[in-house]
Amino acid sequence: WEFYRVNTPDKMKELSRYCMGQNTTETAREMVVVVVRTDLWRNRARSNYEFVKTNLGDRPAFKGKSALTYYGKLMPILYNNDSLGIRGGIKMLVAWLSGLRRPLVRQVNRTDMRIVGHKSAALAAQTFMLSMVAEGHDTCPVEGFDSKRLKKLLNLPSRAEINMVITCGKRIPEGIYGPRFRVPLEEVVFSV
């Protein structure tokens, strides 16, 4: 994932237009666009592999060795997909057969990796938003936007995907539509 900070008046106005003029985009001090970059998996896997390898040293490193296996072997298997989906189909069949004997990750095709990328970007966005609140700022995630125009505004490559736009600033105490609304916990949290 990548974050693009937008804070110049002309870009803010254009970005707000691409977010359908939502209230939060028109009143924000700045905006951050969260971008998913599954096309960069090779670079990220290589840099993580080198980091773990460098920091392994002479320590007993069961976890370090499993991280090297993950970044050096498993990531290339999971993320290396062709545009026709042939590799993904083969990997799904292998996962299904292997899953008959033991638990394993079954998200192995190109679509699954896009979902993983969006989840990772959303977690990074959540961390950013919580950090902003901890520093006394307010944020609001925006999902309604024209992704094609937004990608052009940010000069992104075709395989990059917009996950969300985050507006940053100070909210008004009375709220735009009234007091804050929260779905009751009993409607969304369940014990099993």
Side-chain angles (χ1 to χ4, degrees):
W1 49 264
E2 297 172 336
F3 283 13
Y4 288 78
R5 182 179 181 191
V6 180
N7 59 3
T8 59
D10 58 326
K11 296 283 186 195
M12 292 276 294
K13 187 174 183 178
E14 194 172 1
L15 180 52
S16 178
R17 198 173 111 230
Y18 298 159
C19 291
M20 314 312 159
Q22 295 179 54
N23 287 339
T24 187
T25 65
E26 292 186 346
T27 59
R29 280 207 181 135
E30 20 187 298
M31 291 185 257
V32 174
V33 181
V34 182
V35 178
V36 177
R37 295 298 305 270
T38 55
D39 57 318
L40 298 177
W41 71 265
R42 283 182 179 86
N43 300 348
R44 304 284 163 80
R46 188 177 318 112
S47 61
N48 281 311
Y49 182 90
E50 291 303 323
F51 175 80
V52 171
K53 186 176 172 184
T54 300
N55 289 290
L56 209 53
D58 295 327
R59 296 174 281 164
F62 172 75
K63 289 184 179 181
K65 288 181 182 174
S66 65
L68 290 176
T69 301
Y70 176 78
Y71 292 118
K73 295 181 181 175
L74 187 58
M75 258 185 99
I77 290 170
L78 292 173
Y79 280 87
N80 192 5
N81 286 292
D82 60 293
S83 58
L84 298 175
I86 295 169
R87 277 189 220 123
I90 293 168
K91 289 188 287 185
M92 286 177 68
L93 178 62
V94 169
W96 181 79
L97 289 170
S98 299
L100 293 173
R101 294 186 309 274
R102 61 187 169 92
L104 76 155
V105 174
R106 296 170 190 264
Q107 291 73 31
V108 295
N109 65 21
R110 185 177 181 181
T111 299
D112 294 335
M113 293 302 98
R114 283 186 61 234
I115 292 168
V116 167
H118 278 275
K119 287 192 304 187
S120 178
L123 289 168
Q126 175 188 22
T127 301
F128 168 73
M129 292 171 71
L130 290 170
S131 298
M132 289 289 283
V133 170
E135 293 296 322
H137 305 285
D138 294 303
T139 61
C140 181
V142 177
E143 294 186 29
F145 48 79
D146 183 330
S147 59
K148 184 175 181 176
R149 285 185 169 91
L150 189 46
K151 283 172 67 169
K152 187 175 180 182
L153 174 71
L154 300 175
N155 197 28
L156 295 174
S158 62
R159 293 195 55 203
E161 296 181 45
I162 308 296
N163 180 269
M164 73 177 80
V165 175
I166 301 171
T167 60
C168 307
K170 285 285 188 190
R171 65 182 162 94
I172 54 176
E174 65 274 12
I176 294 174
Y177 304 112
R180 284 181 145 182
F181 169 75
R182 296 283 187 238
V183 175
L185 285 180
E186 59 272 6
E187 291 184 25
V188 294
V189 177
F190 307 95
S191 294
V192 288

